[in-house]
Amino acid sequence: MSGSGFGNGGSDSSLGEEWGVRAARSRALAVLRVRGRALGAAILPAAVAVVLYAGEVTGHFTGTGWTTARWTVTVVAVLVLLAAAAVALVVARARPAVTPTVELTEAAAPDLHRLVRDLADRLDVPAPSAIALTPDCDSWLEDRSHPAHGRAAVPAGAGPVLVIGSPFLWWMRVGELRAVLAPVVAGTGPAADPDIAAARRFVRGLDAAVAVPGEPGLGALRRLGARGVGRVARLLLRACGTHAAEMERGVAAAGSERAQAVDHGARIVAQEQVGLAYAGWDRLLTRVALPAWRMGRWPSGLDAGVVSALTELSNRDRLAEGFSSRLGERPACDLLEEPGAVDEAASLLAARLFHGGPAEPGPDWAPVEWSRYPEEVVDRKWRVEAARLHDVLDRLGTGSGPRTAEGPTLSRVLTHLTAPAPSAAPEKPDDLPAVFPDTAGEADDDEVGNPAADALAAALSAQVAREEAQREARAAAAAPAGGGIAGFTGPDGPWPLCPLLPPRTGRDLLADHVTALVCCAAVDSTGAAPGLDWLDGPALLVGGERAADLGPRVLALVEEGDPAPLRAWLSTTGVRPEKPVRLL
């Protein structure tokens, strides 16, 4: 391990850290003052009632008017105290949000726990109480000491849990990971401050109380009361929100200053890797994992895949020399006893977070290894989309005619997309989701349009929307009586919590389906094969090379009705459009 001890940080670092802690504590006291004012407002009517009763005893407040005032204030005080007690009870018992994570016990990652403890010793701060992984490119400290957290809870008074982004463990080297975690672990020092800890508990309780009215299973009366509590909690959150944000900035500043002397040189390189990891992880999820999730498959090695994706990104950006020497160092995943098992658990969690898949593998939700991805995901995806395209053409019944006796062909689609616009409006449901926007006005916005493609795109969008609605209905039917999807309900509501589904127009869908049909035809009639591009997802391999020039030719057909570029590609590649393709 490289880097100097914390004592070499110098007076400037110590002053900066002291300033950050002071600023955080000052804002924490401001948050607690908001709590104190709320408490004062709650007991004010009771205090007035006490004064009125004392005046009666001493003979100063006598007469009918004072008696009426005493009873009125007493009733108001009782009601206010009951309401305040209800709010306090809900805030105290409400379950603060907990990030879904994969727990890493010391037995599962002894070297990682040892690294974190050593880091805490060098920073002279308490060590985190536990370590967990999240399928995201970020790291933070999370308090899980609330009793409502159940199994995820840590003993009261224990330190916060260190949550680490799982892509960091596979992409970063050990020294880089230690440098990235240093300012995060340093945050356990301010977290132990009583004022900061109390302010955080108050804010988390308010935040949890705001969400209580949306919890399933509440009766009409309880939901009405929960809404009242939620309004009060929201009012208090607005009053202390600015102070809480400034408190967290102060804590972050103090942690950053304290960590300055720990592996300072490696921190600069490590921060570059954070940005690179985020870029590669985002593309891996949206371009590679999402198509598999839609096919009922979840890649079981997402974190290992991010290494391949980032290596490919480095090669394309001509950074291979610098990164090749870096990849020779020890990867941080070596700190785990069984990296493969941890990667599989994190990959399943990512599928639940970003897509809403089941919590356990099953017949329609099976893991897939990267070596099987082209066959089980890419080829299957193409054939499902090709079958859907021909089914829509069958129902549309214009321009292209029925399927040939031999089966579905690419020629049929080429004929339809170069035919005149159909006179009948395509079928389209009234409740078409926003992710499949209306394509009727797309041709008006372009200088060149393809009415036949617009009609087919609208019908295709309707079919996809129906299939999505049926999938959601099946998931809802499997949901428990309390609400939410069976097996995917978390503390923040039904899964997925962070959906990745990008907005797609009807033309985008049509281009994807036509491309899928072309790929099926190429695989069936030539030596082409389905493949995987780590940055762009499913790919067609012709002669072992990715067919990168297919996309623009399909767009020319869909958007302009010009089949010449695609026909030229088919002729060069040896694809016979009149030959039937195999569908699922």
Side-chain angles (χ1 to χ4, degrees):
M1 296 184 180
S2 60
S4 57
F6 176 68
N8 298 328
S11 59
D12 290 343
S13 176
S14 299
L15 289 174
E17 179 194 350
E18 184 179 355
W19 176 87
V21 173
R22 284 185 177 180
R25 187 179 294 117
S26 173
R27 292 296 184 170
L29 292 174
V31 171
L32 296 178
R33 281 195 294 271
V34 172
R35 185 183 66 177
R37 293 190 190 103
L39 179 60
I43 65 175
L44 180 61
V48 174
V50 169
V51 171
L52 292 177
Y53 280 107
E56 180 188 20
V57 171
T58 58
H60 290 83
F61 302 147
T62 58
T64 306
W66 287 109
T67 301
T68 303
R70 275 192 299 273
W71 280 107
T72 302
V73 173
T74 299
V75 172
V76 171
V78 170
L79 293 176
V80 171
L81 287 175
L82 288 175
V87 172
L89 184 62
V90 171
V91 171
R93 298 185 61 182
R95 179 173 178 171
V98 176
T99 305
T101 55
V102 175
E103 298 179 19
L104 278 183
T105 63
E106 186 156 4
D111 291 342
L112 180 59
H113 278 261
R114 194 176 301 114
L115 180 147
V116 172
R117 282 197 300 267
D118 175 71
L119 193 56
D121 290 340
R122 294 173 62 185
L123 293 168
D124 193 23
V125 296
S129 59
I131 301 177
L133 293 185
T134 180
D136 197 1
C137 291
D138 199 1
S139 298
W140 64 89
L141 295 172
E142 188 169 276
D143 185 2
R144 296 184 178 178
S145 59
H146 197 283
H149 290 152
R151 204 175 52 157
V154 298
V161 174
L162 174 62
V163 181
I164 305 174
S166 62
F168 291 166
L169 285 178
W170 270 260
W171 176 244
M172 291 185 172
R173 310 297 99 180
V174 172
E176 294 169 350
L177 179 66
R178 184 172 56 244
V180 165
L181 294 181
V184 182
V185 173
T188 59
D193 183 270
D195 294 330
I196 294 176
R200 282 176 164 175
R201 283 195 301 270
F202 178 59
V203 172
R204 282 197 303 271
L206 292 177
D207 185 65
V210 168
V212 167
E215 291 182 356
L218 295 178
L221 185 60
R222 292 181 62 192
R223 191 173 300 279
L224 181 62
R227 287 175 180 170
V229 172
R231 291 192 184 97
V232 174
R234 192 174 288 107
L235 179 64
L236 292 175
L237 267 181
R238 282 198 296 266
C240 64
T242 302
H243 300 303
E246 292 297 328
M247 177 185 68
E248 296 301 337
R249 290 192 186 97
V251 170
S256 179
E257 289 295 335
R258 172 164 287 229
Q260 282 294 327
V262 177
D263 300 333
H264 181 69
R267 290 181 66 190
I268 300 174
V269 178
Q271 289 301 322
E272 295 176 355
Q273 301 310 314
V274 170
L276 187 63
Y278 184 86
W281 183 247
D282 180 70
R283 293 195 67 156
L284 185 75
L285 291 180
T286 56
R287 307 290 182 88
V288 179
L290 188 58
W293 295 338
R294 288 172 175 163
M295 292 291 104
R297 299 289 185 269
W298 52 277
S300 58
L302 282 179
D303 292 303
V306 79
V307 178
S308 299
L310 291 173
T311 302
E312 178 65 20
L313 180 63
S314 303
N315 292 333
R316 292 187 187 182
D317 288 346
R318 299 180 181 179
L319 300 174
E321 286 189 13
F323 283 100
S324 60
S325 60
R326 172 187 164 277
L327 293 177
E329 302 174 13
R330 185 190 183 194
C333 62
D334 279 358
L335 300 172
L336 307 175
E337 286 293 290
E338 297 183 12
V342 174
D343 193 2
E344 184 171 348
S347 299
L348 179 57
L349 179 58
R352 298 182 66 204
L353 281 173
F354 302 121
H355 183 68
E360 300 291 340
D364 297 325
W365 186 244
V368 59
E369 298 180 359
W370 292 122
S371 60
R372 302 285 299 172
Y373 184 94
E375 178 181 348
E376 294 191 20
V377 176
V378 179
D379 187 75
R380 185 166 176 261
K381 170 183 181 294
W382 288 343
R383 299 193 187 279
V384 166
E385 292 180 348
R388 183 186 295 124
L389 180 60
H390 280 283
D391 288 341
V392 170
L393 281 174
D394 288 341
R395 282 198 301 274
L396 201 58
T398 58
S400 60
R403 300 188 192 187
T404 64
E406 295 81 8
T409 64
L410 177 59
S411 296
R412 182 192 188 201
V413 176
L414 291 172
T415 300
H416 178 86
L417 293 177
T418 55
S423 57
E427 176 188 4
K428 182 177 180 184
D430 296 332
D431 56 347
L432 192 64
V435 293
F436 305 114
D438 193 347
T439 60
E442 289 182 358
D444 298 335
D445 298 332
D446 299 334
E447 295 181 1
V448 180
N450 184 356
D454 292 337
L456 181 56
L460 192 61
S461 297
Q463 175 63 20
V464 173
R466 275 192 294 268
E467 293 176 7
E468 287 292 325
Q470 292 170 0
R471 185 184 70 85
E472 293 178 4
R474 289 193 299 269
I485 301 175
F488 338 147
T489 301
D492 295 326
W495 304 72
L497 304 180
C498 313
L500 288 177
L501 185 63
R504 293 183 294 172
T505 65
R507 283 187 181 178
D508 291 335
L509 282 173
L510 178 57
D512 289 345
H513 283 67
V514 173
T515 300
L517 181 59
V518 173
C519 292
C520 290
V523 171
D524 291 347
S525 60
T526 70
L532 167 62
D533 185 285
W534 288 110
L535 296 177
D536 294 325
L540 178 67
L541 303 181
V542 179
E545 299 291 333
R546 179 189 172 196
D549 57 343
L550 178 58
R553 300 169 188 270
V554 172
L555 288 177
L557 172 66
V558 170
E559 296 183 354
E560 303 171 15
D562 182 9
L566 181 57
R567 288 189 181 278
W569 185 89
L570 296 174
S571 176
T572 303
T573 310
V575 178
R576 296 171 54 190
E578 73 281 359
K579 184 177 179 180
V581 298
R582 177 173 58 87
L583 305 177
L584 287 183

